[in-house]
Amino acid sequence: MRVLALVVLFFALAFSSFGVAQAANIDEAAEAKIAAEINELRKKEGLKPLKVDARLRKVGRDHSFLLAKHKELKDQFPEEASLKDRVTSTGMKKIDSGAENSGQNINLDAANKMFLDSPTHRANLLNPKFNAVGVGIVKDAETHWITQVLVETRGDVEEVK
């Protein structure tokens, strides 16, 4: 009985602390702000707005957690699948193309400016083929870790309300 209690306690701590730590650091208001700013930029450039997809947001959040964990900007960590595999694993199908912008900054506005000032990141944001986005932002004690996942999909989009 004592061994069973220890096993249950171990798994409860291992899984609940991971989930709690993640949930406590998600910055939903910042995610919504950045997604809205992306669509404002696209509108100014004469492009259609992106639909904000809950599954893509999860892919973005998961990558942002890894960025924060490793304290390093990287497109793909060894423990991660490819972007396309991460997106399709959420159930999103019919993905024709995609891109991922990752960054970090203490100041959220400065982080967004960083994406807009980078030719590669800006090109991803203004790609007319893309029709859906997910923004995942994790804030730790030091900074915001931001991942924007942009895709061209012929499938359904689970819009964030």
Side-chain angles (χ1 to χ4, degrees):
M1 185 67 160
R2 187 174 195 175
V3 171
L4 178 62
L6 288 173
V7 170
V8 169
L9 179 62
F10 169 78
F11 282 107
L13 288 173
F15 291 107
S16 68
S17 64
F18 178 73
V20 169
Q22 284 192 353
N25 294 326
I26 292 170
D27 193 338
E28 287 186 30
E31 292 170 342
K33 180 179 190 275
I34 296 294
E37 289 175 358
I38 291 168
N39 279 328
E40 286 173 26
L41 172 67
R42 289 178 64 88
K43 183 178 178 181
K44 286 180 190 173
E45 297 292 329
L47 298 169
K48 290 182 180 179
L50 302 171
K51 294 181 179 176
V52 181
D53 184 90
R55 295 166 295 185
L56 295 177
R57 180 178 64 183
K58 180 182 180 337
V59 172
R61 285 176 177 174
D62 289 348
H63 187 69
S64 290
F65 280 116
L66 287 175
L67 296 172
K69 174 184 170 186
H70 292 284
K71 303 282 188 214
E72 176 183 10
L73 290 175
K74 203 169 192 177
D75 290 330
Q76 185 177 359
F77 289 97
E79 64 266 33
E80 266 186 313
S82 70
L83 177 60
K84 185 170 184 175
D85 288 345
R86 285 182 270 152
V87 170
T88 57
S89 74
T90 68
M92 184 174 253
K93 304 295 181 211
K94 301 178 185 172
I95 306 300
D96 294 323
S97 60
E100 180 178 74
N101 290 341
S102 297
Q104 58 86 215
N105 204 303
I106 294 168
N107 180 294
L108 193 61
D109 292 326
N112 202 35
K113 183 176 178 344
M114 172 191 64
F115 286 127
L116 298 179
D117 289 345
S118 160
T120 303
H121 293 111
R122 185 178 183 86
N124 287 339
L125 295 172
L126 296 177
N127 185 327
K129 291 182 178 182
F130 294 150
N131 59 0
V133 66
V135 178
I137 301 179
V138 174
K139 187 172 189 292
D140 64 16
E142 301 158 11
T143 192
H144 290 88
W145 298 93
I146 305 161
T147 304
Q148 302 166 338
V149 180
L150 305 111
V151 300
E152 173 189 11
T153 180
R154 294 172 285 114
D156 64 320
V157 174
E158 290 181 7
E159 287 194 70
V160 173
K161 303 288 185 219

